[in-house]
Amino acid sequence: MNSGGSLTTSPGGAKVFSMKAVWQGSISLGLLSIPVKLYGATHRKDIAFHLLHRKCSSPLQYERYCPHCDAAVRWQEVVHGYEYEKGKFVVLSDEELEGAALEGSKTLQIEGFVAPQEVEPVYLERAYLLEPSQEGQKAYSLLRQAMESARLVALGRLVLRHKEHRVLLRPYEGGAIMLHTLFYPHEILKPQGLQLPQEEPSRKELQLAVELLKGYRMAFRPEGWKDAYREALMGLIQAKIQGREVKVAPVAERAKVVSLMEALKKSLQEAPRRRARAK
């Protein structure tokens, strides 16, 4: 998902921001106030498909349609409705939604600091970048460097798009501060109800599994990641465009594993070869 902007390529080939701020206000920490703007930090590269009419390949069009009135509806006639019971709605106008904005909607209130490892990754929702205004440059840099030196991240509150978000601020590369919106606990699903394993592994199995994990230990270098599916899909699309015959390679069947111990032992044997290939 594109969070509030887009990326463009400069003449030198570098990726640069070309976007509109999704929020503007101030970071508040005690008596410290830092004027900032908030920008989306991620940009999805999904391949978009259009739905076409098989008969003539024309793109399909969609319209807002009211089945009760049997008529198309213009945007000017659309309102927000909350379904409080099945088939019953309470209607809110744009003015009412704006009027309900929480007090302090222009303030990013920092409430405290925690160690990064205390925050479960499942709580992280979307990523944004904070940019200081001209008068907030020094205070912004001070906050970032203080968090980096103390090895702490900030937790706070921010009103964004008619919702109060809990947020996390952390030092990011290039002297920036990254902001993550966080899920609330009631928005995170619990594992209750899943058919989870009841049988505990043996001590020997656990020992071999730990050795296997160590054999696959690697550095986190996302710059080397490749979107293999996207590349294959683009290759298929280009072949279609050029009128070439498209051939699909058969999927190789994986050898069946007889036992857990056998799988662990074979994986341990494969780990050194895998590391050698990676090098």
Side-chain angles (χ1 to χ4, degrees):
M1 179 178 293
N2 186 347
S3 301
S6 60
L7 290 175
T8 57
T9 304
S10 68
K15 298 295 183 183
V16 296
F17 285 107
S18 174
M19 58 175 61
K20 180 182 177 182
V22 298
W23 180 87
Q24 184 172 349
S26 297
I27 299 174
S28 178
L29 173 60
L31 298 179
L32 186 66
S33 181
I34 311 170
V36 291
K37 292 180 180 179
L38 190 67
Y39 297 91
T42 56
H43 182 74
R44 292 299 294 248
K45 289 288 186 178
D46 294 338
I47 296 175
F49 290 99
H50 295 274
L51 297 179
L52 311 178
H53 186 191
R54 183 190 295 273
K55 180 180 178 181
C56 62
S57 295
S58 296
L60 300 180
Q61 295 182 354
Y62 295 90
E63 61 182 11
R64 292 167 298 281
Y65 173 77
C66 175
H68 177 76
C69 299
D70 189 23
V73 179
R74 297 177 301 167
W75 269 120
Q76 296 92 321
E77 300 173 332
V78 175
V79 294
H80 298 279
Y82 177 78
E83 188 174 21
Y84 62 95
E85 287 183 18
K86 186 67 176 176
K88 295 183 178 181
F89 300 88
V90 59
V91 175
L92 296 172
S93 66
D94 291 338
E95 292 75 17
E96 288 172 324
L97 288 172
E98 288 296 331
L102 298 174
E103 191 175 334
S105 59
K106 292 297 181 183
T107 302
L108 196 171
Q109 182 67 50
I110 293 179
E111 297 183 328
F113 296 85
V114 298
Q117 60 269 25
E118 292 182 51
V119 183
E120 284 280 355
V122 70
Y123 280 93
L124 302 181
E125 186 187 14
R126 291 185 180 177
Y128 297 88
L129 286 168
L130 284 163
E131 177 191 62
S133 65
Q134 195 60 39
E135 63 271 24
Q137 299 269 333
K138 187 174 182 180
Y140 179 99
S141 180
L142 176 64
L143 174 62
R144 186 196 177 281
Q145 290 186 41
M147 287 193 292
E148 192 168 53
S149 297
R151 297 181 181 178
L152 295 173
V153 295
L155 294 179
R157 292 180 288 114
L158 169 68
V159 177
L160 182 64
R161 298 192 180 103
H162 307 299
K163 178 182 178 182
E164 182 176 60
H165 294 268
R166 294 289 167 164
V167 297
L168 178 147
L169 278 66
R170 66 181 180 89
Y172 190 57
E173 62 186 44
I177 294 177
M178 179 167 279
L179 178 146
H180 295 272
T181 54
L182 304 175
F183 287 108
Y184 283 90
H186 66 265
E187 295 175 312
I188 297 173
L189 300 179
K190 302 298 182 183
Q192 284 82 359
L194 298 180
Q195 299 298 315
L196 300 176
Q198 301 298 317
E199 184 181 356
E200 292 290 329
S202 67
R203 176 184 250 176
K204 184 63 176 176
E205 289 170 336
L206 182 57
Q207 183 181 353
L208 286 173
V210 170
E211 290 301 317
L212 174 61
L213 266 59
K214 290 179 179 178
Y216 277 75
R217 182 76 169 85
M218 63 185 293
F220 182 67
R221 294 195 179 97
E223 61 273 10
W225 292 354
K226 286 187 176 181
D227 190 344
Y229 176 71
R230 186 178 188 275
E231 290 178 2
L233 197 55
M234 283 305 301
L236 176 66
I237 290 169
Q238 290 300 323
K240 287 273 190 179
I241 292 171
Q242 297 170 19
R244 299 201 309 266
E245 181 184 356
V246 178
K247 295 183 178 179
V248 181
V251 179
E253 291 186 7
R254 296 190 65 176
K256 293 183 178 179
V257 177
V258 177
S259 68
L260 179 61
M261 288 292 287
E262 183 181 343
L264 290 168
K265 289 176 182 177
K266 286 185 177 180
S267 298
L268 279 170
Q269 293 169 2
E270 173 62 22
R273 289 194 289 270
R274 176 183 172 276
R275 285 200 304 272
R277 287 196 300 270
K279 289 180 182 178

